[in-house]
Amino acid sequence: MWPAEMVEAQAWIRQRLAGFEFDGRAGDIPWRVAGAKQRPAAVLVPLVWHDSGPTVLLTRRTESLSTHAGQVSFPGGKVDATDNSVIAAALREAHEEIGLAADGVTVLGTLPQYVTITDFVVTPVVAMLQPPLQLRPEPGEVAEVFEVPLALALDGRQYERHSYERDGVRGQYLAMQWQHYTIWGATAAMLRLLAQALGQHGEASQR
């Protein structure tokens, strides 16, 4: 597990992310390879450091959105032409969506790109935040912000695999239930990538 002190934990996570050799196996099946038609995007994977144990910060999208309404997600979105990097895009989106100031974010590294079934190539940017957090969710996009214990979110045994078929392609996705939230799809898959990078264990059950 991660070290007990925040600064040591940051260094440990940085090292794990930098040395992560992705083997092509992810939580959902099949793993999609990035191509020319996919659009670049970035999300912030915010780890919040509490003395009682780290958490991961997530958002629930508003029900009025035209896509992914009501779903649990990381703060993030499309990379704009004015963004000088995927990290800049993730920080900008987090500021726009939840009012997170960039100067309160310690970026630790990135995870392998994740290609969504909606043709976005998403770079997860892992960062650490230190409470207290001063957030201002954008009501047009974010219904609420909440935190899940990191150890639970990275435990593969908390997830179930579900089968799907889309445009003639069959696959599986991961989903976990925490309180009244369902964490699934791309968000669950990126948490699985983080678990792999940090050397956590546990396999999802089949449903």
Side-chain angles (χ1 to χ4, degrees):
M1 216 58 173
W2 39 83
E5 298 296 327
M6 183 181 68
V7 174
E8 293 178 1
Q10 290 175 350
W12 181 80
I13 294 171
R14 279 196 185 96
Q15 185 178 36
R16 297 290 303 195
L17 293 174
F20 181 37
E21 296 182 2
F22 180 54
D23 61 5
R25 293 183 297 116
D28 56 352
I29 302 170
W31 177 257
R32 291 170 291 274
V33 179
K37 68 176 183 178
Q38 279 93 5
R39 295 161 288 178
V43 298
L44 192 70
V45 181
L47 310 181
V48 187
W49 188 264
H50 296 282
D51 292 338
S52 57
T55 64
V56 59
L57 184 147
L58 295 165
T59 71
R60 184 174 63 82
R61 295 165 64 86
T62 60
E63 299 289 348
S64 60
L65 291 172
S66 58
T67 58
H68 308 295
Q71 292 185 9
V72 171
S73 65
F74 294 113
K78 292 183 291 185
V79 176
D80 288 347
T82 55
D83 295 320
N84 57 27
S85 67
V86 290
I87 292 176
L91 293 174
R92 174 185 56 76
E93 286 282 348
H95 178 68
E96 292 175 0
E97 289 186 8
I98 63 174
L100 180 64
D103 58 5
V105 179
T106 301
V107 174
L108 304 177
T110 60
L111 290 166
Q113 291 178 328
Y114 177 83
V115 181
T116 71
I117 60 175
T118 51
D119 288 331
F120 281 98
V121 182
V122 183
T123 301
V125 178
V126 182
M128 188 169 287
L129 316 180
Q130 186 175 8
L133 303 178
Q134 296 182 350
L135 305 178
R136 301 182 308 278
E138 168 52 50
E141 294 187 59
V142 178
E144 61 178 312
V145 179
F146 63 99
E147 298 176 35
V148 180
L150 184 59
L152 191 69
L154 300 185
D155 185 353
R157 296 167 297 182
Q158 303 297 322
Y159 293 82
E160 289 184 338
R161 293 185 184 276
H162 300 257
S163 297
Y164 73 90
E165 184 172 347
R166 180 186 174 95
D167 298 330
V169 177
R170 293 183 178 181
Q172 295 182 336
Y173 66 90
L174 294 175
M176 75 168 284
Q177 195 71 29
W178 185 75
Q179 297 185 354
H180 61 281
Y181 303 101
T182 302
I183 303 167
W184 67 286
T187 303
M190 287 184 273
L191 283 170
R192 183 58 176 165
L193 283 175
L194 180 59
Q196 290 175 313
L198 299 185
Q200 305 302 299
H201 300 288
E203 292 300 325
S205 61
Q206 185 73 42
R207 180 172 179 178

